[in-house]
Amino acid sequence: MNNTVQTAVVGVTGYAGAELARLLLHHPRLKSAPPVFAGRMDARDQARGGVPLAEIHPQLAASNGNGALRLEPFSWELLTQRGVEVLFLATPHEQSREWVPEALERGMRVIDLSGAWRLTEAANRAVYNFDDDGTELAAAVQAQAVYGMPELHRGAIASARLVANPGCYATSVILALKPLVAAGLIDLEHGIVADSKSGVSGAGKAPTAKTHFMYAADNLSAYGVFTHRHTGELLEQIGVKDRQIVFTPHLLPIPRGILSTIYVRFRSAQSAERIADVYRKFFAGSPMVRLYDKTLPQIQYVAHTNYADIGFQLAEDGHRAVVVSCLDNLLKGASSQAVQNLNVIEGWHEAEGLE
Amino acid sequence: MNNTVQTAVVGVTGYAGAELARLLLHHPRLKSAPPVFAGRMDARDQARGGVPLAEIHPQLAASNGNGALRLEPFSWELLTQRGVEVLFLATPHEQSREWVPEALERGMRVIDLSGAWRLTEAANRAVYNFDDDGTELAAAVQAQAVYGMPELHRGAIASARLVANPGCYATSVILALKPLVAAGLIDLEHGIVADSKSGVSGAGKAPTAKTHFMYAADNLSAYGVFTHRHTGELLEQIGVKDRQIVFTPHLLPIPRGILSTIYVRFRSAQSAERIADVYRKFFAGSPMVRLYDKTLPQIQYVAHTNYADIGFQLAEDGHRAVVVSCLDNLLKGASSQAVQNLNVIEGWHEAEGLE
Amino acid sequence: MNNTVQTAVVGVTGYAGAELARLLLHHPRLKSAPPVFAGRMDARDQARGGVPLAEIHPQLAASNGNGALRLEPFSWELLTQRGVEVLFLATPHEQSREWVPEALERGMRVIDLSGAWRLTEAANRAVYNFDDDGTELAAAVQAQAVYGMPELHRGAIASARLVANPGCYATSVILALKPLVAAGLIDLEHGIVADSKSGVSGAGKAPTAKTHFMYAADNLSAYGVFTHRHTGELLEQIGVKDRQIVFTPHLLPIPRGILSTIYVRFRSAQSAERIADVYRKFFAGSPMVRLYDKTLPQIQYVAHTNYADIGFQLAEDGHRAVVVSCLDNLLKGASSQAVQNLNVIEGWHEAEGLE
Amino acid sequence: MNNTVQTAVVGVTGYAGAELARLLLHHPRLKSAPPVFAGRMDARDQARGGVPLAEIHPQLAASNGNGALRLEPFSWELLTQRGVEVLFLATPHEQSREWVPEALERGMRVIDLSGAWRLTEAANRAVYNFDDDGTELAAAVQAQAVYGMPELHRGAIASARLVANPGCYATSVILALKPLVAAGLIDLEHGIVADSKSGVSGAGKAPTAKTHFMYAADNLSAYGVFTHRHTGELLEQIGVKDRQIVFTPHLLPIPRGILSTIYVRFRSAQSAERIADVYRKFFAGSPMVRLYDKTLPQIQYVAHTNYADIGFQLAEDGHRAVVVSCLDNLLKGASSQAVQNLNVIEGWHEAEGLE
């Protein structure tokens, strides 16, 4: 176990990248080795040696100290010179697809926040239309990738060279369903409904018709019905077939947070105690998941925190249950899960810097 | 067919009551006979002959004219003197329960916006704990009540003495499901999921912990899981059994609007054309329902309008569908549906004053 | 006085244009002659004879009727064929600058919602950098333009060929200050502060970094300090010099509405009665302005209405006052003021179709 | 300098109290001595030995550890037994007024977040109507109170027995104005305008008509014009007379954050460099204030941070300036300023636990 590690972040200008930067800058193990922030930039910014981080994210600036932090022009040489051992990519999936092989080649471990390497089955990857899919290199890289959800794959992550950090919607649905499916409780043939709602930061920083304040505010809209690209993660990680789950995302008029309302039918009548017990056992030793006994979680309990919260209500018949799962899409749904993966890789306490 | 009718509104201080006042004040048939606004008030306001409506709802005041409109101290004599023929009650269900028998006795027709008289089965009414349930009078009044959804009960409403105006959630779910159930398409034994989300006005005007801005804003919460009192309306009007539907309401951080995402499984594979056709036929002649062909409705399309909008997506297998149903909870979910019922009663065009 | 008039609207895809379309479609005088909606469009949409209005603004669609309304490909011939007498331009100022001369040439009256023709002084127009400024044609057109605020220029508007519809911020500040300045009460040398706050629709429909939900929500920001281009309208219409007023706009995290908080010092001590009287006299006969006696207006009183609301508080010393002025930026700040101007031009009641 | 200190918090159920609890629980110096949380509670909660903090504020609960934290029934004996040295009161001003004398008597230092002891002049205190004002005890306690703004009174705070933590609005206005007034730059006779806007958390946790979501959302309203009770703090701390400043608070439709737009006139023409220099010198050594050179701060830069941000724009004439000051009303406007005061008292780095 190392006491610290040299990290780098590419993609710090986006919402998840900004939160990742904030978390890493405050991580107790990284005080002595702050991350390298690198990215593509225009010639003018390159000429001035990069851009002060405080210009990009004023809320990250301390009154004095952090003024020195810079986003530097990306090059592989830069990362090598700085001795980067763990590289975080908060980049679009096309870019992650391209850069990850080189980073691995250069001996870095990679924690990739995009969807580039999350899916093991070609059918599920089809939604991304990767140029290189089917090549030997891509297959070799994919074979090394571990789905970065410590609650499911803690052991594999610890020794992974490439961690594919999960999608935000996927995290909220998988954490809620995996324990019940693993315990064999759910009637899969009956099918599962996952009705998810996400704040606007999930749609990314690019100004579009759908991220316009006038579109999102005072509104709610369903989208991607039967087609959202997080569906593949649900299928592979929960272990269900496409016809066994319907997943519908909605755009909420709030900056951040996901709430998934999940409807299941059990194979036989259950008691609330039994269900609670299944969750408790599954998440024993998982510090970033909080379970609710009598009440249900809601978005304000998790916004700006690194937790995933899970609660449920059981119908009187013991056969039907509604599970509610909440998290902050930028944190447990992206950047704090990435830091959690770093902690697992380095052998530090999984919640270090996250509570 | 009368050219106009004398109406009265009790309960104008609430959100639905304010919208009802606005709609009636602008209704072309009522220009010559503006509604009487009456309510309980303290001695001081009684002494000054009631309260100017503009004091209660500044947005209802015209610069000159409407200054004269007053909320008057309620008494049965007042209504009689003014020759009120149709009485709108936008009052709590306990009060409606108490007042409706007297209003009927006095020969008025009543359009009641509360839940007091919506449910025909005692088991479903149990959730309200009515003091008088089981009495002869209550049974007699209930027997006269017609569920005030013109799209389902146009004929009965036309001659009703008591219209029980539907609940807001119930309207959004019933309109989406009734055509499919009536056509025998849905596999009821498989069950239906109705995941509904409502703006805060649905929670009423009383300041509570849950209507506090700090609770509702930047938040989403599920509530009333397996227990919400609109469930009885769903069962009776759609014609399903309790175990065949799960209905989960959520509190959205917006002032107004409901979106229900409804999951059904068909008894046999369907085409999108077939489903669209079922909806089109069911709502032929229903001017307040708008159907969507290729896209899905969203809350901003219906907020501040009197429409209910319905769209759907069919899975490739033809067996599973997601139906999205939207309306403004204060309008088609309450006050404009009440005006629609008035139009039906008076034999006017159903959409008069509503488009 | 004509009973109706043929109008056309160019620029219906924007927020103000959509509201203008809604108002004109519901205007009692235009029922028999609905406006022509015209705009530039791509070849495909031209080929199908334009775009159904319901595709652009679903909330404008009635369940049956309005399906027929179309946005047609713009041409001068179209307007001529349809006998358009009054042309509304809800277009960017560059386009209004170009099209107004031709429209006037073709004998149409124009109500232009842009900033193209509002300013009589070249120094104030400089902020727009008009290509044609200084040309004879531009000067001739400008000479015909009347600033379209009926409360100030009712008579001139009635006979105007070109009405320059005021800016939204400008309307809120001018209506609050003009009566006091005209009465000679304000110590102009001391200076005026106008601190204005506007909802996001004021920033237009183009998706930009500043209209992104994540920028606007949960935020407030000042912008255009000492430089906002509505300043020229304030100077010309109120009759003050640049150094006598500081105007600061802010971006509010709401869809619509402007509130201006205005700080003045009087030349001599005043009573609240005196101030109220000055406002009452100035706005006698102005149906779209509402005055508040004891309370202050707020945005929710005017959102979705066509009114401008004004109230004030006087300091105990009688010298200092805070005036609060509110309106809906898309309505009295744009489209309903345009309809008000139409009413004045046609000799109809100024509030027709607006209450 | 002690390495740690035993603290207690009364009033943890409110918004500022919750943030204070969070900050103290994460403060590096207090890890070994977590604060005592105490409050009044009903008999049932007393009987069960208090209430788990996680029940009151789910977002404060860690998955395992913090479950043990409890809100305990308040008694002076409890505080004594636990050896409390520094007592934070996040209580209503009436309660602080009553409890502070006893706490001082018992030898505790007090950091009081209410308005109970902020004002030295009786005329300014009149707005609070304190029962005990004028008594010897009250005068003696008041004489010990230090206004808890480290940027102004660092030295006095270090040795204070009673720190009167500033009001949120007051903090935002005082920090912006004090440097300019202290430098003698502002023309006070001309007067200052402070137009402030605050999120709803500033209005407290009690559900009222004004904190109802339907009142605050999509709205903006001015209130307390010429009468807000933070005015006295402005006068005393900035050193101006009542007629020299107009302060207008507004209620913003956001959860948290204050932005004050402040209008000043200088006694002689100034350069932007000069003004920037005055601020820089004044805040040298003040880690919680961030200054902006070319841009203006906005609420999203400070929300959920402990900073106060200040920027300004100077008119071309050099005489008029607009200063924009932002902070999080629950943090630098309340709880993090309280922790900053704790740091000063204990001789720790002023920003410890706050960056």
Side-chain angles (χ1 to χ4, degrees):
Chain A
M1 192 177 90
N2 298 312
N3 211 35
T4 188
V5 67
Q6 181 60 51
T7 61
V9 182
V10 180
V12 80
T13 55
Y15 300 127
E19 290 288 3
L20 182 58
R22 183 179 61 79
L23 289 168
L24 294 175
L25 287 169
H26 289 85
H27 195 293
R29 299 278 186 171
L30 305 181
K31 293 277 175 195
S32 56
V36 175
F37 299 106
R40 287 171 172 168
M41 57 193 65
D42 60 28
R44 196 181 135 273
D45 283 336
Q46 283 192 38
R48 57 171 176 148
V51 186
L53 208 57
E55 270 184 32
I56 303 170
H57 298 300
Q59 72 279 18
L60 281 182
S63 58
N64 307 304
N66 289 3
L69 291 169
R70 297 187 86 77
L71 175 62
E72 302 181 69
F74 174 86
S75 71
W76 292 110
E77 292 65 39
L78 173 77
L79 303 191
T80 307
Q81 283 164 20
R82 301 289 176 83
V84 170
E85 296 165 272
V86 177
L87 173 64
F88 291 92
L89 292 178
T91 42
H93 55 82
E94 299 87 348
Q95 192 172 331
S96 291
R97 195 79 185 176
E98 184 191 334
W99 287 12
V100 163
E102 174 133 18
L104 294 175
E105 174 89 7
R106 287 171 176 268
M108 288 176 257
R109 290 177 195 260
V110 180
I111 299 174
D112 176 30
L113 281 77
S114 85
W117 305 98
R118 290 178 193 151
L119 298 166
T120 59
E121 294 182 35
N124 294 329
R125 280 198 307 269
V127 72
Y128 286 104
N129 279 315
F130 293 126
D131 283 346
D132 64 345
D133 215 351
T135 65
E136 214 168 304
L137 177 61
V141 171
Q142 185 65 60
Q144 296 180 59
V146 177
Y147 192 74
M149 189 176 283
E151 292 79 7
L152 269 66
H153 304 294
R154 196 167 277 117
I157 292 165
S159 57
R161 310 273 329 143
L162 169 57
V163 174
N165 214 60
C168 49
Y169 278 124
T171 302
S172 92
V173 176
I174 294 166
L175 288 174
L177 282 171
K178 186 69 182 181
L180 304 179
V181 171
L185 297 180
I186 293 182
D187 178 355
L188 294 180
E189 280 314 305
H190 179 274
I192 297 165
V193 167
D195 190 282
S196 295
K197 303 90 176 173
S198 171
V200 182
S201 57
K205 199 170 185 173
T208 66
K210 298 214 169 180
T211 61
H212 197 295
F213 184 88
M214 294 296 292
Y215 180 91
D218 288 355
N219 199 13
L220 182 77
S221 54
Y223 64 98
V225 182
F226 294 116
T227 63
H228 193 276
R229 65 191 187 199
H230 283 187
T231 308
E233 295 177 51
L234 303 186
L235 305 183
E236 296 189 3
Q237 296 300 322
I238 301 172
V240 291
K241 299 187 181 113
D242 185 49
R243 64 181 160 77
Q244 294 173 331
I245 189 162
V246 181
F247 163 59
T248 307
H250 299 74
L251 187 67
L252 274 180
I254 64 174
R256 52 205 287 168
I258 285 179
L259 183 145
S260 294
T261 314
I262 299 168
Y263 301 82
V264 298
R265 186 165 294 200
F266 295 123
R267 296 170 65 198
S268 57
Q270 302 295 325
S271 68
E273 292 67 32
R274 174 77 203 287
I275 304 300
D277 198 51
V278 165
Y279 276 120
R280 244 185 332 258
K281 284 188 177 136
F282 193 94
F283 292 118
S286 283
M288 303 322 296
V289 175
R290 299 187 298 195
L291 301 172
Y292 285 65
D293 269 346
K294 285 153 208 158
T295 59
L296 294 173
Q298 48 188 250
I299 282 181
Q300 68 176 358
Y301 297 166
V302 296
H304 297 278
T305 84
N306 302 307
Y307 297 107
D309 285 10
I310 299 171
F312 69 93
Q313 294 279 332
L314 188 65
E316 280 190 12
D317 59 24
H319 274 91
R320 296 168 299 155
V322 177
V323 184
V324 173
S325 170
C326 294
L327 50 77
D328 185 312
N329 56 302
L330 297 178
L331 296 171
K332 179 61 178 167
S335 61
S336 78
Q337 187 147 248
V339 173
Q340 198 181 346
N341 282 317
L342 174 71
N343 289 337
V344 172
I345 287 173
E346 299 299 327
W348 302 331
H349 186 273
E350 195 171 312
E352 192 154 4
L354 297 177
E355 283 190 319
Chain B
M1 191 176 92
N2 298 311
N3 211 36
T4 188
V5 66
Q6 181 59 52
T7 60
V9 182
V10 181
V12 79
T13 54
Y15 299 127
E19 291 289 1
L20 182 58
R22 183 179 61 78
L23 289 169
L24 294 175
L25 287 170
H26 290 85
H27 196 293
R29 299 277 185 171
L30 305 182
K31 292 277 176 195
S32 55
V36 175
F37 299 106
R40 285 172 172 171
M41 58 192 62
D42 59 29
R44 196 181 135 274
D45 283 337
Q46 283 192 37
R48 58 170 177 149
V51 187
L53 209 58
E55 270 184 32
I56 304 169
H57 298 301
Q59 73 279 18
L60 281 183
S63 58
N64 307 305
N66 289 4
L69 291 169
R70 297 185 88 75
L71 175 63
E72 303 181 68
F74 173 85
S75 72
W76 291 110
E77 291 65 39
L78 174 76
L79 303 192
T80 306
Q81 283 165 20
R82 300 290 176 83
V84 171
E85 296 164 273
V86 176
L87 174 65
F88 291 93
L89 292 178
T91 43
H93 54 82
E94 298 88 347
Q95 192 171 331
S96 293
R97 194 78 185 175
E98 184 191 334
W99 286 12
V100 163
E102 174 135 17
L104 295 176
E105 175 89 8
R106 287 171 176 269
M108 287 175 258
R109 289 178 194 259
V110 181
I111 300 174
D112 177 30
L113 282 76
S114 85
W117 304 100
R118 290 178 194 151
L119 299 167
T120 59
E121 295 181 33
N124 293 330
R125 280 197 307 269
V127 72
Y128 286 104
N129 277 315
F130 293 126
D131 283 345
D132 65 346
D133 217 351
T135 66
E136 217 168 302
L137 177 62
V141 171
Q142 184 66 60
Q144 295 180 59
V146 177
Y147 193 73
M149 189 176 282
E151 292 79 7
L152 269 68
H153 304 294
R154 196 167 279 118
I157 293 165
S159 58
R161 309 273 331 143
L162 170 57
V163 174
N165 213 59
C168 50
Y169 279 124
T171 301
S172 93
V173 176
I174 294 166
L175 288 174
L177 282 171
K178 184 69 183 181
L180 303 179
V181 171
L185 297 180
I186 294 183
D187 178 355
L188 294 180
E189 280 314 304
H190 180 273
I192 297 165
V193 167
D195 190 282
S196 295
K197 303 91 175 172
S198 170
V200 182
S201 56
K205 200 169 184 174
T208 66
K210 296 213 169 178
T211 61
H212 196 297
F213 184 88
M214 294 295 293
Y215 179 91
D218 288 356
N219 198 13
L220 184 76
S221 54
Y223 64 98
V225 183
F226 293 117
T227 64
H228 193 277
R229 63 190 185 197
H230 283 187
T231 307
E233 295 177 51
L234 303 185
L235 305 184
E236 296 188 5
Q237 296 299 322
I238 301 172
V240 291
K241 301 192 181 106
D242 185 49
R243 65 182 160 76
Q244 294 173 330
I245 189 163
V246 181
F247 163 60
T248 308
H250 298 73
L251 187 67
L252 273 179
I254 65 174
R256 51 205 288 168
I258 285 178
L259 184 145
S260 294
T261 313
I262 300 169
Y263 301 82
V264 298
R265 186 164 295 200
F266 295 123
R267 294 170 65 201
S268 58
Q270 302 295 327
S271 68
E273 292 68 31
R274 173 77 202 285
I275 304 301
D277 198 49
V278 165
Y279 276 119
R280 244 186 330 259
K281 284 189 176 134
F282 193 93
F283 292 118
S286 284
M288 304 321 296
V289 175
R290 299 188 297 196
L291 300 172
Y292 285 64
D293 269 347
K294 284 154 208 156
T295 59
L296 294 173
Q298 47 188 252
I299 282 181
Q300 67 176 0
Y301 297 167
V302 295
H304 298 279
T305 84
N306 302 306
Y307 297 107
D309 285 9
I310 299 171
F312 68 93
Q313 294 279 333
L314 188 65
E316 280 191 12
D317 59 25
H319 273 91
R320 295 168 299 154
V322 176
V323 184
V324 173
S325 170
C326 294
L327 49 77
D328 185 312
N329 56 303
L330 296 178
L331 296 172
K332 180 61 178 167
S335 61
S336 78
Q337 186 148 248
V339 174
Q340 198 181 345
N341 282 317
L342 174 71
N343 289 337
V344 172
I345 287 174
E346 299 298 327
W348 302 332
H349 186 274
E350 195 170 313
E352 192 153 3
L354 298 176
E355 284 190 320
Chain C
M1 190 175 95
N2 298 312
N3 211 36
T4 188
V5 66
Q6 182 59 53
T7 60
V9 182
V10 180
V12 80
T13 54
Y15 300 127
E19 291 288 1
L20 181 58
R22 184 179 61 79
L23 289 169
L24 294 175
L25 286 170
H26 289 85
H27 196 293
R29 299 277 185 171
L30 305 182
K31 292 276 175 194
S32 56
V36 176
F37 299 106
R40 287 172 170 169
M41 58 192 64
D42 60 28
R44 195 182 136 273
D45 284 336
Q46 283 192 38
R48 57 170 176 150
V51 187
L53 208 58
E55 269 185 32
I56 303 169
H57 299 299
Q59 72 279 16
L60 281 183
S63 58
N64 306 306
N66 290 4
L69 291 169
R70 296 187 88 77
L71 175 62
E72 302 182 69
F74 174 86
S75 73
W76 291 110
E77 290 65 40
L78 174 76
L79 303 192
T80 306
Q81 282 164 21
R82 301 290 176 85
V84 170
E85 296 164 89
V86 177
L87 174 64
F88 291 92
L89 292 178
T91 42
H93 55 82
E94 299 87 348
Q95 192 171 330
S96 292
R97 194 79 185 176
E98 184 190 334
W99 286 12
V100 164
E102 173 133 18
L104 294 175
E105 175 89 7
R106 286 171 178 269
M108 288 175 258
R109 289 177 195 260
V110 181
I111 298 174
D112 177 30
L113 281 77
S114 85
W117 305 99
R118 290 179 193 151
L119 299 167
T120 59
E121 295 181 34
N124 293 330
R125 280 197 306 270
V127 72
Y128 285 103
N129 278 316
F130 293 126
D131 283 345
D132 64 347
D133 216 351
T135 65
E136 215 168 304
L137 176 62
V141 170
Q142 184 66 59
Q144 295 180 63
V146 176
Y147 193 74
M149 189 175 284
E151 292 79 7
L152 270 66
H153 304 293
R154 196 167 278 117
I157 292 165
S159 57
R161 308 270 336 139
L162 170 57
V163 174
N165 213 59
C168 50
Y169 278 124
T171 301
S172 93
V173 177
I174 294 167
L175 288 174
L177 283 171
K178 186 68 183 181
L180 304 179
V181 171
L185 297 181
I186 294 182
D187 178 355
L188 294 179
E189 280 314 303
H190 180 273
I192 296 166
V193 166
D195 190 281
S196 295
K197 303 92 176 172
S198 171
V200 182
S201 56
K205 200 168 183 175
T208 66
K210 297 212 169 180
T211 61
H212 197 296
F213 184 88
M214 294 296 291
Y215 179 90
D218 288 355
N219 198 13
L220 182 76
S221 54
Y223 63 99
V225 183
F226 295 116
T227 63
H228 193 276
R229 64 191 185 197
H230 283 188
T231 308
E233 295 177 51
L234 302 185
L235 305 184
E236 295 188 6
Q237 296 299 322
I238 301 172
V240 292
K241 301 192 180 107
D242 186 49
R243 64 182 161 75
Q244 294 174 331
I245 189 163
V246 180
F247 163 60
T248 307
H250 298 74
L251 187 68
L252 274 180
I254 65 174
R256 51 203 288 167
I258 285 178
L259 183 146
S260 294
T261 313
I262 300 169
Y263 301 82
V264 298
R265 186 164 295 201
F266 295 123
R267 295 169 65 201
S268 57
Q270 302 295 326
S271 67
E273 291 69 30
R274 173 76 202 287
I275 303 301
D277 198 50
V278 165
Y279 276 119
R280 246 189 325 262
K281 284 189 176 136
F282 193 93
F283 291 118
S286 283
M288 303 322 296
V289 175
R290 298 187 299 195
L291 301 173
Y292 285 64
D293 269 347
K294 285 153 209 157
T295 59
L296 294 173
Q298 48 188 252
I299 281 180
Q300 69 176 358
Y301 297 166
V302 296
H304 298 279
T305 83
N306 302 306
Y307 297 107
D309 285 8
I310 299 172
F312 68 93
Q313 294 278 333
L314 188 64
E316 280 191 11
D317 59 24
H319 274 90
R320 295 169 299 154
V322 176
V323 184
V324 172
S325 170
C326 294
L327 49 78
D328 185 312
N329 56 303
L330 296 177
L331 296 171
K332 180 61 180 166
S335 61
S336 78
Q337 187 147 247
V339 174
Q340 198 181 345
N341 283 317
L342 174 71
N343 289 336
V344 172
I345 287 173
E346 299 298 328
W348 302 332
H349 186 273
E350 195 171 312
E352 192 154 2
L354 298 177
E355 284 190 319
Chain D
M1 191 176 91
N2 298 311
N3 211 36
T4 187
V5 66
Q6 181 60 51
T7 60
V9 181
V10 180
V12 80
T13 54
Y15 299 126
E19 291 288 0
L20 182 58
R22 183 180 61 79
L23 289 168
L24 295 175
L25 287 169
H26 290 85
H27 195 293
R29 298 278 185 170
L30 305 182
K31 293 276 177 196
S32 55
V36 175
F37 299 105
R40 287 172 170 169
M41 57 192 64
D42 60 28
R44 196 181 136 273
D45 283 337
Q46 283 192 37
R48 59 169 175 150
V51 187
L53 209 58
E55 270 184 33
I56 303 169
H57 298 301
Q59 73 278 18
L60 282 182
S63 58
N64 306 305
N66 289 4
L69 291 169
R70 296 186 88 76
L71 175 62
E72 302 182 68
F74 174 86
S75 72
W76 292 110
E77 291 64 40
L78 174 76
L79 302 193
T80 306
Q81 282 164 22
R82 300 292 175 82
V84 171
E85 296 164 273
V86 176
L87 173 64
F88 291 92
L89 292 177
T91 43
H93 54 83
E94 298 88 348
Q95 192 171 329
S96 291
R97 194 80 185 177
E98 183 191 334
W99 286 12
V100 163
E102 174 134 16
L104 295 175
E105 174 90 4
R106 286 170 177 271
M108 288 175 257
R109 289 178 195 259
V110 181
I111 298 174
D112 176 29
L113 281 78
S114 84
W117 304 99
R118 290 178 194 152
L119 299 167
T120 59
E121 295 182 33
N124 293 330
R125 281 197 307 269
V127 72
Y128 285 104
N129 278 315
F130 293 126
D131 284 345
D132 65 344
D133 215 350
T135 65
E136 216 168 303
L137 177 62
V141 171
Q142 185 65 61
Q144 295 180 60
V146 176
Y147 193 74
M149 189 175 284
E151 291 80 7
L152 270 66
H153 304 293
R154 196 167 277 118
I157 293 166
S159 57
R161 309 270 334 140
L162 169 57
V163 174
N165 214 58
C168 50
Y169 279 124
T171 302
S172 92
V173 177
I174 294 166
L175 288 173
L177 282 171
K178 185 70 181 179
L180 303 180
V181 171
L185 297 181
I186 294 182
D187 178 355
L188 294 179
E189 280 314 305
H190 180 273
I192 297 165
V193 166
D195 189 282
S196 294
K197 302 92 176 171
S198 171
V200 183
S201 56
K205 201 170 184 173
T208 66
K210 298 214 168 179
T211 61
H212 197 295
F213 184 87
M214 294 295 291
Y215 180 91
D218 288 354
N219 198 13
L220 183 76
S221 54
Y223 64 98
V225 182
F226 294 117
T227 63
H228 193 277
R229 65 190 185 198
H230 283 188
T231 308
E233 295 177 51
L234 303 185
L235 304 185
E236 296 188 4
Q237 296 300 322
I238 301 172
V240 291
K241 299 188 183 111
D242 185 50
R243 65 183 159 76
Q244 294 174 332
I245 188 162
V246 180
F247 163 60
T248 307
H250 298 74
L251 187 68
L252 274 179
I254 64 174
R256 51 205 287 169
I258 285 178
L259 183 145
S260 294
T261 314
I262 299 168
Y263 301 82
V264 298
R265 186 165 294 200
F266 295 124
R267 294 170 65 199
S268 57
Q270 302 295 326
S271 67
E273 292 68 31
R274 174 77 202 288
I275 303 300
D277 198 52
V278 164
Y279 276 119
R280 246 187 328 260
K281 284 187 176 135
F282 192 94
F283 292 118
S286 284
M288 304 322 295
V289 175
R290 300 187 296 196
L291 301 173
Y292 285 64
D293 269 347
K294 284 154 211 157
T295 58
L296 294 173
Q298 47 188 251
I299 281 180
Q300 68 175 359
Y301 296 166
V302 295
H304 297 279
T305 84
N306 301 307
Y307 296 107
D309 284 10
I310 299 171
F312 69 92
Q313 294 279 332
L314 188 64
E316 282 191 11
D317 59 25
H319 274 91
R320 295 169 301 155
V322 176
V323 184
V324 173
S325 170
C326 293
L327 49 77
D328 186 313
N329 55 302
L330 297 178
L331 296 171
K332 179 61 178 167
S335 60
S336 78
Q337 186 147 251
V339 174
Q340 198 181 344
N341 282 317
L342 174 71
N343 289 337
V344 172
I345 287 172
E346 299 298 328
W348 302 333
H349 186 273
E350 194 171 314
E352 192 154 2
L354 298 177
E355 284 190 321

